[in-house]
Amino acid sequence: MTGYLGSYATLGLLLLASVLFFVTAFSANRVLRPARPADPPGKRTSYECGLDPVGADWAQMQIRYYVYAYLYVLFAVEAVFLFPWAVVFDRPGFGLVTVVEMAVFVAVLALGILYAWRRNILRWT
């Protein structure tokens, strides 16, 4: 398919094929599924490792999970900034200024981890 409208014809055929695939898949699902699926007692109850659910449906989360998630995000962001810096560091014109900027960045992160350590936030109780 060449010419001005050739790429549009290719796109149209691709869209038509995708719609046909979608309709065929859902039609096959409707034809092959059971007419009345079984609904044994207890099928729609919540599942807790083979045990019956106990207690209310609302449970309070402890703050330490959020603290660990926050610390993970903090150090993941640090890694995201350190890898490109390591790639650019040896290029001309990125000498001392780049080292100082990254030292300030790592120092701020180190102060944060030191603060968390001194406050015993990292201790699992």
Side-chain angles (χ1 to χ4, degrees):
M1 296 188 185
T2 58
Y4 182 71
L5 297 177
S7 58
Y8 289 113
T10 304
L11 179 65
L13 286 174
L14 182 65
L15 288 174
L16 180 67
S18 63
V19 167
L20 284 174
F21 180 76
F22 179 80
V23 169
T24 304
F26 274 90
S27 298
N29 182 23
R30 184 166 291 240
V31 169
L32 296 175
R33 72 178 182 192
R36 291 184 175 266
D39 196 11
K43 181 176 182 177
R44 301 197 189 278
T45 60
S46 58
Y47 179 74
E48 289 186 18
C49 302
L51 303 174
D52 292 331
V54 178
D57 58 351
W58 184 83
Q60 186 174 1
M61 294 267 309
Q62 295 186 14
I63 190 66
R64 74 178 132 213
Y65 299 121
Y66 296 110
V67 170
Y68 279 101
Y70 180 71
L71 288 173
Y72 171 76
V73 168
L74 177 75
F75 289 110
V77 168
E78 176 188 6
V80 165
F81 282 117
L82 282 176
F83 282 124
W85 172 77
V87 170
V88 171
F89 175 67
D90 66 343
R91 293 187 182 164
F94 291 100
L96 184 63
V97 174
T98 307
V99 172
V100 170
E101 287 175 354
M102 196 48 63
V104 169
F105 177 70
V106 171
V108 168
L109 290 176
L111 284 175
I113 194 73
L114 183 66
Y115 174 79
W117 190 354
R118 299 275 293 173
R119 292 283 187 147
N120 288 330
I121 292 174
L122 301 177
R123 188 174 308 268
W124 190 269
T125 57

